[in-house]
Amino acid sequence: MADTAEEFSSYVAARHAALTRTAFLLTGDHHAAEDLVQTALARTYLAWSRIHNQTALDTYVRRTMVNEHTSWWRRAWRRREALTAELPELPATDPRGEPGGLVERDGDLWRLLRALPAHHRAAVVLRYFEDLSEAETAEILGCSIGTVKSRTHRALATLRAGLTPPTEPAAVFESAPAPVRRHAR
């Protein structure tokens, strides 16, 4: 039992910051991210003796976080929560500890990422933030590789559409010179 507690404590000490960053990107809220990490780690501790492949711990914890985050959206109390268009105050730090980092630096991207459906956001976070392969992401999300590809494609298309300024049709200049025609001799 003491060995299990020591192993788990060393794992948490080594990976807590990275797991919190991933949870923050999934939830969009620092406090919810901390709750998500704590819940995932509590479930991991309960299953610690059943996890035979210790090298796959991050995969297990990430999958637990994604599943728990998804279940939060299914609970009735989340549906009764009133959302507002603007946050009452800006967060003091981003998950890396840089003051005002995400809001000032990536405000539009952050807003669009938070607006994505939970499964699309999870696919983008796991593929591009965690730099996992399509197969690893599919394993964590519990879906096929094709589903990961389509979710990622749709999410990236939504992000691109939101970040790309609308283009105006090319203006027609009335004073543009007429094309020069050359006649064959």
Side-chain angles (χ1 to χ4, degrees):
M1 182 72 171
D3 290 340
T4 301
E6 288 175 20
E7 288 175 8
F8 183 75
S9 294
S10 64
Y11 173 77
V12 170
R15 299 296 299 153
H16 188 268
L19 294 172
T20 302
R21 283 191 300 268
T22 300
F24 181 77
L25 290 170
L26 289 171
T27 63
D29 178 63
H30 184 68
H31 300 291
E34 287 290 335
D35 290 344
L36 184 59
V37 169
Q38 291 302 316
T39 302
L41 289 175
R43 291 176 188 258
T44 303
Y45 184 76
L46 293 175
W48 193 263
S49 62
R50 293 181 306 216
I51 301 173
H52 300 292
N53 185 358
Q54 294 293 318
T55 59
L57 279 173
D58 281 346
T59 302
Y60 182 88
V61 176
R62 284 188 198 114
R63 181 171 188 149
T64 304
M65 287 193 314
V66 168
N67 290 344
E68 184 65 21
H69 182 251
T70 301
S71 73
W72 285 359
W73 286 102
R74 292 181 180 147
R75 292 187 184 140
W77 65 268
R78 292 287 288 185
R79 292 185 194 120
R80 289 188 302 231
E81 187 174 7
L83 301 176
T84 59
E86 294 187 30
L87 296 174
E89 58 187 56
L90 297 176
T93 60
D94 75 4
R96 292 170 291 220
E98 299 170 4
L102 283 178
V103 174
E104 291 175 14
R105 186 178 60 243
D106 300 325
D108 290 338
L109 178 61
W110 181 236
R111 178 184 50 78
L112 291 168
L113 185 64
R114 289 191 61 182
L116 289 174
H119 286 290
H120 290 182
R121 186 176 343 139
V124 168
V125 167
L126 293 173
R127 284 283 292 131
Y128 298 104
F129 180 76
E130 289 291 330
D131 199 27
L132 298 178
S133 69
E134 291 165 343
E136 292 168 324
T137 302
E139 181 182 343
I140 290 171
L141 295 177
C143 62
S144 70
I145 293 173
T147 301
V148 169
K149 289 179 181 181
S150 65
R151 286 180 183 171
T152 304
H153 174 77
R154 288 183 187 125
L156 292 178
T158 302
L159 293 174
R160 282 187 192 108
L163 289 175
T164 306
T167 57
E168 295 183 23
V172 177
F173 298 113
E174 292 182 20
S175 61
V180 177
R181 295 189 177 198
R182 298 181 189 245
H183 299 284
R185 291 186 190 169

